[in-house]
Amino acid sequence: MPDAALRLTELLEQLLGAPLPVRVRAWDGSESGPPGTPTLVVRNRRALRRLLFKPGELGLARAWVAGDLTVDGDLYTALGLLSGLIWERGEDARGLAGTLRDPRARAAALGLVKLAGPPLPPAPPAEEVRRPGHLHTRRSDKRAISHHYDVGNDFYELVLGPSMVYSCAYWPAPEPGATLEQAQHDKLELICRKLDLKSGQRLLDVGCGWGSMAIHAAREHGVSVVGVTLSQEQAAYARKRVADEGLTDRVEIRVQDYRDVADGPYDAISSIGMAEHVGAARYLEYANDLYALLKPGGRLLNHQIGRRPQRDESAYHVDEFIDAYVFPDGELAPIGTTVTQLERAGFEVRDVESIREHYALTLRRWVANLEANWARAVRLTSPGRARVWRLYMAASALAFERNRIGVNQVLAVKTPESGDSGMPLRARTWGAPGT
């Protein structure tokens, strides 16, 4: 069909009831839409079939991951323009059913079916998770962690840089000269100071990743550290780093579920970017387990992404793209819910620090690393996997910038019956760089 872009634009605008804010380029080379904006490139009719058979975010994600759909121009701008039209509307199959009661929308949908060609649903991309069974069992959690983290250490080195820290950095200012490595060092040091680590103490690092927190705490503060992860690849990498640093006498890296740690008590516990994997149904169990592993007076630093609360919390559902391609079974909770669950377990929450803007800055650096090394990233993983990471990190950066999600450091104490928390009278005296 000649001028497929114009026809596609007309049908989509008729179906959505709003003008498209980006330009469209179709498989026949034709273009339509506002000039000077990023271009949504529909490379083939298969992209339309994906959207028709799975309306909403998951269909778009499948088309993106498969390479049927891409963006020519600034990805952040494109996502920002499209978010209000697609993602923030929460459009899915149920919403579309209501839309199709309108005769004009129904006619537009039929036009898209005709434009898409033979109505055969394309298979999902190989990168999509297919997981039977119950959520947040030891087996399902290990499988979910493996999907996300066992992508290849070389790939993560490319994205994260030398620090190998896969959580929000702590920036002095959004200056061009500020380095990701220094900002990650400052985040680890901030956590160590909040935990008031002292030589000879024992630290449990839950979800230790590639060992950066464990190494920093042992090297800079003289503590003995046990780091636990469910990822075999992370553990192997972390153990080598520990050996290279000459810290094998002070750092032990285990492939172990935090629920199976039985050699407490510890003086302090750090949980950095791990609690998002726990799940709402298991969160009190998580808090209880960490409470039991601490000495009286011990401190927990829980660094966790949170979402905005909803008027009806029962309506919360996990983001389809993130669940299918990035963090299977991951769940976000409002900060108030997290604090309540920690308190229910017995903790005294002493400090909550939001560092939302810091994560947006961090994600933009990770995206820049990925885009600068795109060909190598594709070789190390797959074209689909690289596209997953680019989309999820760019979209997440915008979500942090727009306050749709946040990240918080919660400092909690296992305060003894005496009431002596061991905390300074003025809480924000951590003395970390930049404070």
Side-chain angles (χ1 to χ4, degrees), residues 294-309:
L294 274 174
K295 290 180 179 178
R299 298 184 186 183
L300 164 70
L301 192 289
N302 191 77
H303 176 117
Q304 181 178 343
I305 298 172
R307 60 176 172 84
R308 302 292 298 170

Side-chain angles (χ1 to χ4, degrees), residues 204-209 226-229 257-258 261 269-275 286 290 293 300:
L204 174 64
D205 187 28
V206 179
C208 66
V226 172
V228 295
T229 176
D257 193 295
Y258 73 93
V261 176
I269 298 176
S270 54
S271 178
I272 309 169
M274 175 272 172
Y286 160 83
L290 299 193
L293 285 166
L300 164 70

Side-chain angles (χ1 to χ4, degrees), residues 181-314:
E181 288 66 41
Q182 184 61 48
Q184 290 290 15
H185 172 278
D186 289 353
K187 187 270 298 296
L188 298 177
E189 182 61 16
L190 176 66
I191 291 172
C192 288
R193 292 179 181 272
K194 286 183 176 183
L195 290 172
D196 194 28
L197 296 181
K198 295 181 174 63
S199 181
Q201 290 184 330
R202 295 183 76 213
L203 169 69
L204 174 64
D205 187 28
V206 179
C208 66
W210 293 271
S212 298
M213 174 64 187
I215 290 169
H216 182 94
R219 184 183 60 216
E220 303 298 329
H221 295 269
V223 297
S224 296
V225 188
V226 172
V228 295
T229 176
L230 294 178
S231 167
Q232 295 283 354
E233 289 194 22
Q234 282 186 335
Y237 189 98
R239 287 167 182 154
K240 184 179 185 305
R241 291 179 73 193
V242 168
D244 291 345
E245 290 276 350
L247 294 171
T248 53
D249 59 329
R250 278 187 277 163
V251 178
E252 178 188 0
I253 303 296
R254 303 174 185 168
V255 178
Q256 186 178 34
D257 193 295
Y258 73 93
R259 290 166 284 197
D260 296 328
V261 176
D263 60 345
Y266 289 86
D267 297 282
I269 298 176
S270 54
S271 178
I272 309 169
M274 175 272 172
E276 297 89 340
H277 296 287
V278 171
R282 297 280 189 180
Y283 202 92
L284 184 57
E285 177 188 352
Y286 160 83
N288 284 330
D289 286 347
L290 299 193
Y291 186 84
L293 285 166
L294 274 174
K295 290 180 179 178
R299 298 184 186 183
L300 164 70
L301 192 289
N302 191 77
H303 176 117
Q304 181 178 343
I305 298 172
R307 60 176 172 84
R308 302 292 298 170
Q310 296 186 359
R311 188 178 299 275
D312 177 12
E313 277 294 310
S314 66

Side-chain angles (χ1 to χ4, degrees), residues 373-392:
N373 298 278
W374 184 257
R376 184 162 182 261
V378 168
R379 289 196 304 271
L380 289 172
T381 54
S382 69
R385 182 75 68 185
R387 284 192 285 265
V388 166
W389 254 247
R390 183 176 179 231
L391 177 61
Y392 119 75

Side-chain angles (χ1 to χ4, degrees), residues 352-391:
V352 178
E353 182 177 4
S354 172
I355 51 175
R356 173 175 62 83
E357 294 87 351
H358 293 255
Y359 220 150
L361 292 169
T362 305
L363 283 157
R364 283 182 176 265
R365 294 299 179 96
W366 290 344
V367 171
N369 286 345
L370 176 60
E371 291 178 340
N373 298 278
W374 184 257
R376 184 162 182 261
V378 168
R379 289 196 304 271
L380 289 172
T381 54
S382 69
R385 182 75 68 185
R387 284 192 285 265
V388 166
W389 254 247
R390 183 176 179 231
L391 177 61

Side-chain angles (χ1 to χ4, degrees), residues 46-60:
R46 187 170 56 247
L48 295 186
R49 293 199 290 275
R50 292 190 187 278
L51 291 170
L52 289 167
F53 280 97
K54 200 66 178 179
E57 185 173 324
L58 187 56
L60 283 167

